[in-house]
């Protein structure tokens, strides 16, 4: 039998149809497209979870907004609230990072001052005793001073100034502690540096008379008698009622 071109086509068509059917039935299944979340619904969900201290749920909801709806007005709020989530979880370094980012990107936002205050509070949680490293103390003070400088009329101004006073006192105590440690170890140059820094950076901390006394004593031990007399004289003149002034007078009589 002669097979015409039309006959060839009629034989091929069923084969192609069967092949297509096989590919459809046995090929890889198509992945269903995940519907996008609603940013408002996620914001409400996250806020409720945060209020209920269900921090994992709140974190997931707010991060969903940032990932799925970065241009949504809810995304800005989510940036700040993730900081609150981490703060509530006790992850203070992570919280400080989000508060820092929020304040830097949205300085005109009504809650920018809150972000800076919370940044300071996050670092405040890491403040240690004076015999330990004071990096967190310095970071907390920088954040609080930024708040006072940038938003002097904010609702946090009063509390911020009290916290700043505490932090400056802690740093002054640290300088005095280390200065005395050097002095007792006969590292008089190291002691001088610490006590000078204390006078320069924290004159309001109430350590000026003590610092002057140890500066004078350090000069004596380094053979700088003239400088020692100048310092002891300043101590007696500026702090005549200080118990350290008595020791300074004794030294002046001895060196006189």
């Amino acid at each position: 039998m002669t097979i015409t071109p039309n006959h060839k086509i009629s034989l091929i068509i069923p084969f192609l149809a069967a092949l297509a059917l096989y590919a459809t039935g046995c090929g890889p299944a198509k992945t269903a497209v995940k519907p996008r979340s609603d940013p408002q619904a996620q914001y409400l969900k996250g806020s409720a979870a945060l209020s209920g201290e269900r921090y994992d749920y709140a974190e997931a909801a707010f991060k969903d907004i940032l990932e799925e709806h970065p241009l949504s007005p809810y995304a800005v709020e989510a940036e700040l609230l993730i900081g609150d989530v981490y703060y509530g979880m006790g992850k203070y370094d992570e919280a400080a990072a989000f508060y820092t980012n929020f304040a830097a990107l949205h300085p005109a936002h009504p809650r920018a001052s809150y972000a800076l205050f919370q940044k300071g509070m996050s670092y405040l949680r890491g403040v240690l005793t004076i015999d330990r490293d004071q990096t967190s103390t310095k970071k907390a003070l920088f954040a609080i001073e930024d708040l006072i400088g940038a938003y002097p009329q904010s609702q946090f101004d009063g509390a911020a100034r009290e916290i700043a006073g505490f932090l400056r006192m802690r740093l002054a105590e640290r300088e005095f502690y280390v200065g005395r440690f050097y002095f007792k170890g006969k590292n008089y140059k190291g002691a001088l540096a610490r006590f000078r820094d204390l006078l320069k950076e924290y004159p309001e901390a109430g350590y000026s008379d003590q610092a002057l006394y140890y500066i004078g004593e350090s000069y004596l031990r380094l053979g700088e008698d003239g400088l020692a007399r100048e310092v002891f004289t300043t101590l007696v003149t500026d702090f005549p009622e200080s118990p350290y002034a008595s020791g300074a007078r004794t030294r002046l009589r001895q060196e006189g």
Side-chain angles (χ1 to χ4, degrees), residues 143-237:
I144 293 299
E145 288 183 338
D146 283 347
L147 167 61
I148 294 171
Y151 307 98
Q153 304 302 318
S154 80
Q155 67 187 94
F156 305 102
D157 187 67
R161 291 181 186 278
E162 289 185 15
I163 293 171
F166 163 76
L167 294 170
R168 290 182 65 80
M169 179 62 74
R170 174 55 58 86
L171 292 172
E173 291 172 348
R174 170 67 176 179
E175 289 298 306
F176 187 75
Y177 173 85
V178 175
R180 285 196 62 186
F181 177 83
Y182 286 153
F183 184 86
K184 290 179 180 179
K186 299 183 180 181
N187 180 358
Y188 301 118
K189 290 184 178 179
L192 278 172
R194 290 292 185 162
F195 291 127
R196 285 170 179 165
D197 285 346
L198 194 159
L199 289 176
K200 179 182 178 181
E201 299 295 333
Y202 313 107
E204 79 289 352
Y207 283 92
S208 296
D209 56 337
Q210 301 174 60
L212 284 169
Y213 179 79
Y214 280 105
I215 288 173
E217 290 290 335
S218 296
Y219 276 137
L220 280 180
R221 285 159 173 77
L222 290 171
E224 300 285 353
D225 295 356
L227 292 175
R229 281 194 296 273
E230 289 180 16
V231 174
F232 286 135
T233 299
T234 300
L235 171 55
V236 170
T237 301

Side-chain angles (χ1 to χ4, degrees), residues 43-59 61-62 77-78 80-89 99 111 114:
Y43 177 79
L44 295 174
K45 175 183 175 182
S47 298
L50 178 59
S51 297
E53 299 184 358
R54 292 177 288 120
Y55 299 119
D56 290 341
Y57 292 99
E59 179 185 10
F62 294 137
E77 294 294 328
L80 179 61
L81 292 176
I82 291 177
D84 288 347
V85 168
Y86 285 135
Y87 188 87
M89 296 171 76
Y99 291 135
R111 302 194 71 194
Y114 169 79

